[in-house]
Amino acid sequence: MCEVDTHHTGSFHLLELPHELQLSILKHLDVQSLLACKAVCSPANASPALGFIIDDNLRTLYQLQLEAAGMADGPQGDDSDSPLHERLHAICDFRTAWASGEHPVYEVTLTRSQQSGHSVWHYVPPRMAVEVACIDQQEGSVHIIRPPGLLCGLGGGEYVYGGLKDHINFRSITGFHVDLAQDLFVWCDGITNDPPPSLHFCSLSNGFAPHPKAARPTIFSCFPTYIELFPFLEMQVLGDIVAWSMYGGDTGEQETDLLVINWKTGMVVWHMHFHNDRIYMMLISQTQLCILHCDNMSIYLCTFDPCASANNQPCAFQDSLAVLRLPACHDRVVKKVVYSEIGLPPTYPLGTPHDFHHDPTQSILAITINLEYALDDTEYDSEESLTEMERFLLFIPVGTLFREYHLTHNQYANVPPPAAIEGAESEPDRIIPWEHWGPSGTRMVSVQSNRSDLHSNISAPPSVLGAYASLAAYCPSEDLYVVTIYEIHSLSDSEASPLMANADGAGVELELGQKFRRLHPEDDYIRGTKTWKDDIHTTLPYRTTTRTLPRRDTDGRARYKDQRSILLTHDGLVHINEHW
């Protein structure tokens, strides 16, 4: 019988285990640990190196490639439909294309006949184009165009749903949203204020009749009836939850009404109304949202119960769980213009085949910050003082928001929110300074604003989808667009890629077809600005790709109405062409 040395105190070596046990253990490691194993293990060991085991195992290698691209695996059918080795090749082709600046470029064209008069309302989901929907008033139908995603295995499609005239007055539509996965058409009636604006939930496949799963096919807002101007509306649909924002008012006055609705139960599960504040509401999950307050440069984290059995009473800022402060501005800043976009990935109808899609856990919140500052120290006068502007993009992964949410939730689990003080400016005492959360979990970049390019649109918000953002910033000529694509997640620097000295295109005479790729340093500062009180330090890894695109067709017609027509789609870019 073999004796067992019970007094052995030597260290345990994973590589001493049989190959099968090593592989079984590796399957339980996260991607960062797998990458660490690949980095430290060498073929000189007695057992095969872990690096070889990882590379030789298709499933492990595929998971590495997915996470390094900010993607998640698609629906898993039979191996005959989408074998693992084919999906591995597809994600490698995707990463190669993006690393070389060869993003697929698709095109959706809205013709003159579609645009004539006001017969068509066209809608592009906020700052991304995974589906483009047009309402044809003459035919009484909705046309939905889905650009293909060739690299991710998603086929394109065009869908036409008729019967719109039977249930909807076209003149009443002030905004709408389409969700093919839920057979849902949500539209807003915001023309009149008596009754106030309303939201309607209809079925695409049933001729736009009330959706059978909607407990209340129509829900009214609390928007004040004295608002005379046409209200500005925003909608966001995430499963059963619809976030509905309305802004409006006469000169010098603005009213804002924010509602979060479970459209299947018909309940308003979260609600806020306030006066003369510039804010944006964004869903980050089906139980959480954040509010960007543009005036005090803060992000409020809030939570709600999607299964509430009664309408929620209006909330106030002191009801939020935590407040994340943005960097402090310098005293010379006289105006702040701030926008926000969130890149939550789209959902696809059940049975839609595709190899992979954007990972919702790596989605980002993109904040465009335009800060106008006085050139001298004299008292600022809006009519006489000289000013200039600095522009920045702040990228915040939803994982960072979730981290701060859970940290604060655990810290104050048994502490109720502070009570509101009547007549005082309400704000929670759970304020997290920028220095405590921003440097470790965000990335801020400075956007050049001193260009003399034609049709500059740098101040516009970027297109955002998943862990990617695209900024069509400027036009150096009548025939050229310059587009910068940001890849922002924790593994964006996991592998080296070809670099170029002038990676941002600065000082280079850009020509059609040029591409620049750059891996930015992990630990980075923005120093010496005129608008921030202190230097800005952020550490989230990211890459950028700068490429040029033509602005004109071969027949000389302008190819895009403006830069906002160049948006992110499933695995590349899409141009929304409007030929007038």
Side-chain angles (χ1 to χ4, degrees), residues 320-359:
S320 57
L321 182 69
V323 181
L324 306 180
R325 290 294 196 207
L326 299 183
C329 293
H330 196 280
D331 293 340
R332 66 170 62 95
V333 172
V334 297
K335 185 178 181 181
K336 307 167 190 171
V337 181
V338 183
Y339 309 96
S340 64
E341 304 289 342
I342 195 163
L344 296 178
T347 56
Y348 303 107
L350 188 64
T352 302
H354 57 281
D355 294 330
F356 51 86
H357 53 258
H358 291 269
D359 186 351

Side-chain angles (χ1 to χ4, degrees), residues 310-326:
N311 288 333
N312 186 268
Q313 295 299 313
C315 301
F317 282 121
Q318 78 268 8
D319 297 318
S320 57
L321 182 69
V323 181
L324 306 180
R325 290 294 196 207
L326 299 183

Side-chain angles (χ1 to χ4, degrees), residues 3 32 62 65 131 199 203 230 239 252 326 419 472 475 511 539 560:
E3 293 185 6
Q32 285 85 351
Y62 179 54
Q65 292 288 339
E131 291 167 358
L199 212 56
S203 168
F230 190 79
L326 299 183
C475 312
E511 298 178 356
T539 59
Y560 320 115

Side-chain angles (χ1 to χ4, degrees), residues 321 404-417 430:
L321 182 69
E404 298 302 326
Y405 170 86
H406 290 298
L407 287 174
T408 309
H409 182 270
N410 294 336
Q411 181 178 356
Y412 292 96
N414 299 315
V415 180
R430 306 161 187 189

Side-chain angles (χ1 to χ4, degrees), residues 192-209:
T192 62
N193 291 313
D194 191 13
S198 54
L199 212 56
H200 306 260
F201 305 95
C202 305
S203 168
L204 286 167
S205 62
N206 195 27
F208 299 92

Side-chain angles (χ1 to χ4, degrees), residues 233-253:
L233 308 166
E234 289 182 348
M235 272 187 284
Q236 190 183 1
V237 178
L238 189 60
D240 298 351
I241 304 300
V242 177
W244 186 23
S245 306
M246 286 154 289
Y247 313 91
D250 52 15
T251 305
E253 300 289 334

